[in-house]
Amino acid sequence: MIRILLIILIALLLGTALAMGLQYDLGYIRISLGNYLVETNFWIGLALLVVLVVGSVMTINLFRRLRHGTGMVAGWLARSNERRARRRTTQGLLALAEGNWPRARKLLTSSAEHADTPLINYLAAAQAAFESGDHEAVDELLRKAFESTPGSDMAVGITQAQLQLAGNRLEQALATLLRLRKQAPHHPFVLKLLKNTYLRLEDWRELSRLLPEIRKRNLMESEELGDLERMVWHNLLQRAAEECRRQSGEPSASLEPLTRLWDELPGFLRRDEHTIREYARLLAQLGDEAQAETLLRKVLRNHWGDDLINLYGRVKGLKPDEQLLIAEQWLKDRPNNAELLLALGRLSLRNELWGKAREYFETSLRLRRSRETMAELSRLNAHMGEGENSVKLLMQGLVKDSGLPDLPMPKA
């Protein structure tokens, strides 16, 4: 109330002052602009000047308000687009999880431009396109993902490699992973994907070079890694043996590729029973049974293995009689080892000791009913003129391996 009274009082004072001023003639205002001349009373000119100043001030304020209002509208539109993008992104991810690939791809792609994390949108859309079988769209979406976010090369590259592996595009996946490894030589996930790629390509040589890095970084369980290394080097040994055969074209081949590879094996594999047996078996197949016998003899002195003694009984050393004597010395420490007795029977056959061979086979058979031992004894009996016993053993072996139920039979 007081403010209103104060405004009215000021207005009355100004009106009174103006009325009193109009009684006095203060002259006139004359403005010349080129060929134009403007003359007016002082009070009118003053009023026009006030109007001009007030109008200019109001115009400037209006312009400022319009600019500010445009910014507010733009901000409101941007926030609206972001909210809509977040909503559509969520819907797209839900569609992706539900397996609705076309809808997921559409929602994720359309909302990527205004999304907070366009990289996620494009990568998820690439996954949806892959599931739909559109590989060209996958590459395009991955390119957009890379362009949308600086420093995303590794994330995009890993996604691309995973999709290439899933699509069985092994060569492309290998190229992608090799490029990524140049950028990050010790990246754990890149190394794992590279291992899987080499494994599926059966590139044993490159995989053997990668395994030490995987072991160093502890990227696999020790037991799993050991099995993988054993498989890799066994395949390399077999390929080296094939190379030996190709070089000569005969069963008795140059052993240099195989022996050279043996020297490359990690130390723990050269002490591994299965690897030693595989190497000795390949040596024997390539015609160097003497070297295989020497290797097996050295190993069996310090590390016993039934698979090794089985192979030892199959190979022919330079001195079969000495080979038999050495094996009989092992029998003193292992009198009830059926596998050793089987090997002794075979070594006795190699030395043409028929009775001793049959005795060893029969003793082994009493300790363990083995089809292999039955077959050896049956073959020996047949050659010794004991056809009935030979046939009986063959029948026992056949029945043993057939899984027949135990049923009553007529007496002979």
Side-chain angles (χ1 to χ4, degrees), residues 89-149:
T89 297
T90 302
Q91 293 172 349
L93 293 174
L94 288 174
L96 182 67
E98 294 168 359
N100 191 343
W101 317 125
R103 174 175 168 79
R105 175 181 168 186
K106 179 180 178 180
L107 289 169
L108 292 166
T109 305
S110 63
S111 59
E113 185 176 350
H114 299 290
D116 298 328
T117 54
L119 177 66
I120 302 300
N121 286 60
Y122 284 125
L123 292 181
Q127 174 71 35
F130 168 79
E131 297 293 349
S132 300
D134 192 346
H135 295 296
E136 292 184 3
V138 171
D139 295 335
E140 176 64 19
L141 289 167
L142 289 174
R143 182 187 63 79
K144 290 182 177 180
F146 172 73
E147 294 174 350
S148 69
T149 308

Side-chain angles (χ1 to χ4, degrees), residues 220-245:
M220 296 178 63
E221 295 294 332
S222 179
E223 184 177 352
E224 182 184 3
L225 180 59
D227 292 341
L228 178 59
E229 286 182 306
R230 188 177 293 110
M231 180 183 69
V232 168
W233 286 101
H234 281 199
N235 278 282
L236 286 174
L237 285 171
Q238 291 173 7
R239 290 192 175 182
E242 292 173 3
E243 184 181 350
C244 293
R245 297 188 186 97

